[in-house]
């Protein structure tokens, strides 16, 4: 009886769960999936990070299905219905031109996330390449690249973005370029710091002894090691990118009216704050909630991806 009990207790489960919990992975793909599964379990155990992830997913879904979720035309003006408070007809009220704030908020999420994601796609590779190249090669290359980074870091992001967008002209595309030019230096500095540690590793020395070129070592071995830290930094940077984009829109240098970008909506509602608070408060709250969600998720990813935390 005891032997049967032991056999029953030690019997391994079957299916996907057993494959994920296998003590020895059977392939590199199996090992990678196991690592991702463990990281997901760690992230799920962090309530604040999970809250941030849920909020971001909800905003993404709202932006993706905005045409289906919107109740009114976002550009249609109705002066007879201007400055209406939230009601069953207009869930979040109307603005100074009678446009539905709820519908414009949904489509504004598309613009905000478009700016944030496209900026990230631009700044992450630039910062990673510059930082790893400077950290690995050292010497005059490191000195020149880091002095360029120092010049960019000497100015606040918003001020630097304002300078670039003033030179390029208003518009979403120019705002993305301006924010990207102001956002890549911190990633480059982080990648350089990681590279200075990684280049002293034994396996990097072994690669050099085997005759591997600097280009192969940087792109094939150092960059992949820096990616987790860069992912965390980029996620945390999302909040700053969203705030900078909203600031440019608020000042009239980003998305232009009648675009439903959140910063532009906030700017148009500032004249009615005392009488029709929802026009400015609702896009302002959306900016706050989205920025907070990315910060919370970034903190959680740092705990999961950075072994030095925790």
């Amino acid at each position: 009886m005891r032997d049967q009990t032991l056999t029953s207790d030690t019997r391994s489960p079957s299916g996907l769960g057993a494959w994920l919990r296998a003590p020895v992975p059977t392939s590199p793909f199996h090992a990678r999936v196991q690592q991702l599964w463990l990281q997901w379990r760690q992230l799920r155990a962090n309530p604040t990070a999970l809250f941030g992830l849920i909020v971001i997913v909800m905003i993404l879904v709202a932006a993706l299905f905005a045409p289906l979720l919107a109740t009114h035309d976002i550009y249609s003006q109705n002066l007879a219905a201007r400055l209406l408070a939230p009601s069953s007809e207009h869930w979040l009220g109307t603005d100074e031109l009678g446009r539905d704030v709820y519908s414009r908020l949904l489509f504004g999420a598309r613009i905000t996330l478009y700016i944030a994601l496209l900026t990230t796609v631009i700044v992450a590779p630039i910062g990673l390449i510059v930082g790893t190249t400077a950290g690995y090669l050292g010497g005059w290359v490191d000195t020149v690249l880091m002095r360029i980074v120092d010049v960019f870091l000497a100015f606040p992001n918003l001020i630097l973005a304002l300078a670039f967008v003033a030179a390029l002209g208003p518009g979403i595309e120019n705002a993305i370029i301006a924010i990207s030019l102001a956002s890549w230096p911190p990633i480059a500095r982080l990648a350089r710091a990681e590279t200075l540690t990684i280049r002293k590793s034994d396996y990097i020395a072994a690669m050099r002894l085997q005759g591997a070129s600097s280009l192969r070592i940087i792109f094939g071995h150092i960059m992949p090691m820096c990616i987790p830290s860069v992912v965390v930094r980029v996620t945390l940077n999302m909040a700053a990118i969203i705030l900078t984009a909203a600031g440019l829109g608020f000042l009239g240098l980003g998305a232009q009216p009648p675009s439903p970008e959140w910063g532009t909506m906030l700017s148009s509602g500032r004249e009615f704050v005392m009488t029709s608070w929802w026009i400015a408060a609702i896009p302002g709250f959306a900016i706050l909630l989205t920025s907070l969600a990315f910060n919370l998720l970034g903190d959680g990813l740092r705990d999961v991806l950075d072994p030095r935390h925790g």
Side-chain angles (χ1 to χ4, degrees):
M1 184 70 178
R2 184 179 177 184
D3 293 341
Q4 291 178 352
T5 304
L6 289 174
T7 303
S8 176
D9 291 340
T10 58
R11 185 166 40 199
S12 61
S14 59
L16 180 62
W19 187 71
L20 291 172
R21 295 182 179 88
V24 180
T26 57
S27 66
F29 174 75
H30 187 188
R32 183 57 182 163
V33 172
Q34 283 186 322
Q35 182 184 20
L36 291 174
W37 178 69
L38 291 174
Q39 290 172 346
W40 162 244
R41 291 186 61 184
Q42 289 180 268
L43 186 66
R44 192 176 58 184
N46 187 329
T48 57
L50 188 60
F51 170 77
L53 178 61
I54 291 173
V55 170
I56 292 170
V57 170
M58 291 176 62
I59 294 172
L60 285 170
V61 170
L64 183 63
F65 295 101
L68 300 177
L69 298 175
T71 57
H72 294 76
D73 185 350
I74 61 173
Y75 298 115
S76 177
Q77 301 180 15
N78 182 9
L79 297 180
R82 66 189 300 267
L83 303 179
L84 293 180
S87 63
S88 58
E89 175 66 20
H90 299 281
W91 296 349
L92 298 179
T94 61
D95 61 11
E96 72 279 6
L97 296 176
R99 297 171 299 191
D100 186 67
V101 174
Y102 164 73
S103 300
R104 288 177 62 80
L105 191 74
L106 291 177
F107 280 90
R110 285 186 160 190
I111 299 174
T112 298
L113 293 177
Y114 169 75
I115 293 174
L117 294 176
L118 189 56
T119 301
T120 299
V121 169
I122 295 172
V123 302
I126 293 176
L128 189 59
I129 291 172
V130 172
T132 53
T133 301
Y136 181 76
L137 297 180
W140 67 269
V141 175
D142 182 30
T143 301
V144 170
L145 291 178
M146 285 303 102
R147 295 301 76 78
I148 295 174
V149 169
D150 289 340
V151 170
F152 279 87
L153 291 176
F155 301 92
N157 273 12
L158 182 57
I159 302 301
L160 197 58
L162 282 172
F164 284 123
V165 81
L168 296 171
I172 294 179
E173 290 75 15
N174 290 341
I176 292 172
I177 296 173
I179 297 171
S180 300
L181 290 172
S183 301
W184 69 268
I187 298 175
R189 185 172 287 279
L190 173 65
R192 175 183 179 272
E194 293 282 334
T195 303
L196 290 176
T197 301
I198 296 171
R199 74 175 184 177
K200 300 177 183 178
S201 303
D202 292 339
Y203 79 95
I204 296 296
M207 291 296 299
R208 284 198 295 263
L209 289 175
Q210 292 176 1
S213 64
S214 297
L215 191 66
R216 179 182 175 186
I217 293 174
I218 291 173
F219 281 89
H221 300 277
I222 293 181
M223 279 191 184
M225 296 294 293
C226 296
I227 287 177
S229 298
V230 170
V231 168
V232 173
R233 179 70 191 196
V234 164
T235 306
L236 291 171
N237 272 7
M238 282 286 197
I241 292 171
I242 291 171
L243 290 174
T244 304
L248 293 176
F250 183 84
L251 296 173
L253 296 174
Q256 299 297 296
S259 172
E261 195 270 327
W262 290 346
T264 305
M265 292 174 64
L266 185 61
S267 177
S268 65
R270 60 184 171 177
E271 301 177 9
F272 308 94
V273 171
M274 303 305 296
T275 57
S276 305
W277 56 268
W278 56 88
I279 302 177
I282 289 173
F285 179 74
I287 294 170
L288 170 64
L289 183 62
T290 307
S291 301
L292 177 63
F294 275 110
N295 275 332
L296 294 176
L297 179 60
D299 286 337
L301 288 176
R302 180 177 56 194
D303 296 337
V304 171
L305 298 177
D306 191 347
R308 292 168 293 187
H309 275 79

